[in-house]
């Protein structure tokens, strides 16, 4: 039974990976579009571009996390919080299959990260 669950997780991670790759392709394509060379800082086109670039970076990080999680499924450490060593809530893994931290640790790490650079949002 544990085995089929792991198989499902791998499948889910691979799907997530596929989605992220497709989205990255789309965004990179959008970045190829010409930008007016006379555009000044604050120009809507440039602002849009910055947003897309932030999304690309955030997706690249997501992909890294997914690859990492896939390696963890092979090593049998998938679903274990890296920070405290407790199992990650399966409901959380349903939503964020590439999660490597439990909700508690994630909140702590995010708070620390936000003090540094603001994370890009998907809105
Ligand atoms: Zn934890």
């Amino acid at each position: 039974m544990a085995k089929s669950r792991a198989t499902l997780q791998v499948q889910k991670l691979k799907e997530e990976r596929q989605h992220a790759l497709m989205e990255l392709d789309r965004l990179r394509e959008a970045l190829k579009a010409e930008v007016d060379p006379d555009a000044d800082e604050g120009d809507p086109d440039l602002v849009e571009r910055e947003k897309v670039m932030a999304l690309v970076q955030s997706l690249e990080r997501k992909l890294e996390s997914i690859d990492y999680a896939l390696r963890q499924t092979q090593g049998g450490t998938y679903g274990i919080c890296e920070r405290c060593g407790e199992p990650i809530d399966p409901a959380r893994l349903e939503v964020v299959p590439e999660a490597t931290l439990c909700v508690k640790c994630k909140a702590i790490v995010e708070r620390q990260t936000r003090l540094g650079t603001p994370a890009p949002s998907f809105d």
Side-chain angles (χ1 to χ4, degrees):
M1 207 158 111
K3 189 151 195 165
S4 76
R5 178 172 192 98
T7 312
L8 277 176
Q9 283 164 340
V10 170
Q11 199 183 329
K12 180 138 189 166
L13 281 166
K14 286 187 172 162
E15 277 170 23
E16 282 284 311
R17 193 171 188 280
Q18 201 56 35
H19 278 149
L21 279 174
M22 271 160 51
E23 187 68 2
L24 258 181
D25 262 4
R26 194 178 66 77
L27 292 172
R28 283 184 175 139
E29 203 57 41
L31 278 178
K32 277 189 208 156
E34 287 290 318
V35 171
D36 187 350
D38 297 328
D40 292 318
E41 204 156 318
D43 186 287
D45 281 353
L46 284 183
V47 173
E48 191 55 38
R49 206 177 163 83
E50 298 248 309
K51 265 203 236 167
V52 174
M53 276 160 74
L55 270 178
V56 166
Q57 279 171 8
S58 127
L59 274 169
E60 280 171 346
R61 277 201 298 273
K62 188 182 168 79
L63 268 178
E64 276 172 28
S65 307
I66 293 171
D67 283 342
Y68 187 78
L70 276 169
R71 284 199 296 276
Q72 284 186 318
T73 60
Q74 287 164 1
T77 54
Y78 179 71
I80 306 291
C81 174
E82 288 202 306
R83 200 165 172 276
C84 67
E86 295 289 322
I88 300 171
D89 184 356
R92 170 164 161 71
L93 289 173
E94 277 292 312
V95 184
V96 193
E98 76 273 24
T100 56
L101 295 170
C102 70
V103 182
K104 255 188 285 173
C105 294
K106 173 86 176 166
I108 295 167
V109 170
E110 272 192 348
R111 210 174 309 140
Q112 287 167 347
T113 313
R114 281 208 188 106
L115 294 176
T117 48
S121 63
F122 281 93
D123 57 11

